[in-house]
Amino acid sequence: MRRIAVVGGSLAGVHAAEALRERGFEGDVTLISAENELPYDRPPLSKEALISGVAMERLGLRAPEWYADNAITTRIGSAAVGLDTARRAILLDDGTRAGYDGLVIATGSRPRRLPSTENAPPVQVLRSIEDSLRLRERLRPGRHLVLIGAGFIGLEIAATARHLGLDVTIIEVGQVPLGRALGDEVGSWFRTLHARNGVEIVCTCTVETIERQGEGAVLTLSNGRTVNADVVAAGVGASPVTEWLDGSGVQTANGVLCYSDLSTSVPGVVAAGDVARWYNPLFDEEIRVEHWTNAVEQGRRAAHTLLGEGEAFSAVPYFWTDQYDARMRFVGRATAASEVAVKEFDDERLVALYGRDGLVRGAVCVNAPRELARYRTAIRDQVRWDDVGEAPSRIGG
């Protein structure tokens, strides 16, 4: 193996390239990115970058000289549009091809967009530097921001907009924010948090129409209400970027399908980060995780697998979100939980556990770092409910 290509200027892609060099790979490493900037960190885009603007010297994952220092060739502004696994070539949008002996797929995900009509105003999304700059220009004190979707991105934007002095309304199809991800108990805590900070959240409601009104918009909701907005943004999930793999032989289904070591259906091809759906033996299920820590760890593990050092990737998923003075940290899995135990629930702190098959499977901790460390270990060691001294309440299953 003399040439390794990393497709995706993502967190997973950068860490894969870095791990290749750290493990002693001396061949060619090429990092191919569809974006026009060197790889950068995305979590600040919904917080600091909206407040103070984008500063690439702070957002860049590595300094520009790092790539040359590590003999990593970068092809910036080049989107992969196809993959010829028989000839081991990546087809790029400029009509050229990039050859490889080994391939890391790290193309991440893109935000889902709402259907648009002829008279519809722009609905902002937030994934890239350009998205952040565009949204920041419109977030002015006294304006009314309407957010569609009360997921993590939507709630972070809401908290930032309140800090900037905007009025904020969130439209959410579920009964509570984050309900599908973390359950109604945790969702109700976050609803109260945002209400205390002046955000109106309209739940069990959808947007029927969005029409232009002057420089803003008017939204008609499924409950019959109309809402005027100066700015409309949406955070309704993301989809893995896999269409360029169609017909390549690399199997996809809500992501690139991977074995436990992150190898794919095609020899010499691995995947990592938001785009990878892999079998995690710790939870005995196929999962796809769109979070920072997972991208770092998977990028490095995928590189090891490509170099013949593969082993099962069975990490405990971890992610965080900071909103107002609430520092939420989550470990494990909450989906498909059959049990939940709320340990603490007040204005300042929240601790909840998730269980399945009699084992501790997940934990959410707000402003509770000691509990987070304890439960992360319990999930990794597959500790039973009874052994952590909790009295779980059955919520289904």
Side-chain angles (χ1 to χ4, degrees):
M1 188 176 296
R2 295 176 301 144
R3 304 169 301 168
I4 294 179
V6 180
V7 180
S10 60
L11 187 64
V14 168
H15 279 270
E18 184 175 57
L20 289 170
R21 291 304 189 213
E22 289 178 353
R23 303 303 290 182
F25 179 71
E26 296 180 351
D28 295 339
V29 176
T30 301
L31 180 67
I32 300 170
S33 176
E35 296 198 56
N36 294 318
E37 298 83 12
L38 287 170
Y40 56 88
D41 209 12
R42 297 187 191 275
L45 297 180
S46 61
K47 298 179 278 289
E48 296 95 327
L50 289 180
I51 295 171
S52 57
V54 171
M56 279 305 298
E57 63 271 17
R58 294 200 303 269
L59 285 182
L61 291 174
R62 297 292 184 271
E65 59 271 18
W66 178 85
Y67 299 92
D69 291 347
N70 287 275
I72 296 171
T73 301
T74 57
R75 296 193 63 169
I76 304 303
S78 298
V81 296
L83 180 64
D84 185 340
T85 52
R87 293 179 174 83
R88 298 200 171 213
I90 302 148
L91 286 63
L92 302 178
D93 61 354
D94 62 3
T96 63
R97 292 175 169 236
Y100 69 89
D101 300 310
L103 173 63
V104 180
I105 299 171
T107 41
S109 58
R110 66 168 61 92
R112 298 190 184 102
R113 294 181 181 271
L114 299 178
S116 181
T117 61
E118 184 176 348
N119 192 42
V123 177
Q124 310 290 328
V125 295
L126 185 54
R127 176 70 180 177
S128 67
I129 282 178
E130 289 83 0
D131 294 334
S132 186
L133 288 170
R134 193 178 302 115
L135 182 57
R136 182 174 183 267
E137 283 298 312
R138 305 207 64 193
L139 297 183
R140 296 288 180 261
R143 286 186 171 182
H144 184 199
L145 168 66
V146 174
L147 285 157
I148 303 169
F152 292 107
I153 290 293
L155 295 181
E156 287 179 357
I157 295 172
T160 301
R162 288 298 296 148
H163 175 82
L164 292 171
L166 282 81
D167 296 326
V168 179
T169 300
I170 303 177
I171 313 301
E172 166 59 31
V173 67
Q175 294 184 346
V176 293
L178 305 176
R180 285 169 291 180
L182 298 177
D184 289 351
E185 292 89 347
V186 172
S188 66
W189 191 92
F190 276 91
R191 182 174 188 170
T192 301
L193 170 69
H194 281 268
R196 285 202 312 268
N197 285 277
V199 175
E200 179 188 17
I201 302 182
V202 182
C203 292
T204 62
C205 195
T206 59
V207 176
E208 297 290 316
T209 63
I210 307 175
E211 296 181 349
R212 192 181 301 273
Q213 181 173 271
E215 295 185 358
V218 57
L219 294 82
T220 302
L221 309 184
S222 58
N223 62 5
R225 177 181 169 186
T226 59
V227 180
N228 295 320
D230 299 299
V231 188
V232 182
V236 291
S239 301
V241 179
T242 59
E243 65 278 358
W244 66 285
L245 299 170
D246 292 349
S248 67
V250 176
Q251 294 183 2
T252 62
N254 185 31
V256 176
L257 294 178
C258 299
Y259 298 103
S260 61
D261 64 353
L262 304 177
S263 61
T264 71
S265 56
V266 174
V269 179
V270 297
D274 294 9
V275 76
R277 179 181 170 195
W278 89 104
Y279 173 74
N280 187 324
L282 182 62
F283 298 93
D284 191 27
E285 62 177 325
E286 286 186 348
I287 61 177
R288 187 172 69 84
V289 177
E290 297 179 358
H291 297 296
W292 197 94
T293 303
N294 179 74
V296 171
E297 295 175 346
Q298 278 197 340
R300 304 185 71 81
R301 183 61 59 82
H304 295 176
T305 294
L306 202 56
L307 296 177
E309 305 170 1
E311 60 183 44
F313 182 73
S314 57
V316 177
Y318 166 82
F319 69 88
W320 74 90
T321 180
D322 294 338
Q323 301 166 31
Y324 312 110
D325 57 354
R327 298 173 59 84
M328 190 275 273
R329 306 293 181 261
F330 182 86
V331 288
R333 299 280 289 163
T335 55
S338 58
E339 297 165 317
V340 62
V342 178
K343 180 182 177 184
E344 296 187 44
F345 192 105
D346 58 41
D347 288 350
E348 301 299 326
R349 287 164 57 94
L350 170 69
V351 177
L353 300 182
Y354 302 86
R356 190 180 72 209
D357 301 327
L359 300 176
V360 180
R361 290 297 194 181
V364 59
C365 301
V366 180
N367 299 332
R370 291 184 179 178
E371 286 81 355
L372 177 76
R374 173 191 176 196
Y375 293 127
R376 189 174 194 174
T377 300
I379 296 164
R380 182 198 64 200
D381 296 343
Q382 296 190 308
V383 171
R384 300 190 63 81
W385 275 101
D386 293 344
D387 295 336
V388 295
E390 303 295 341
S393 57
R394 184 73 57 178
I395 61 170

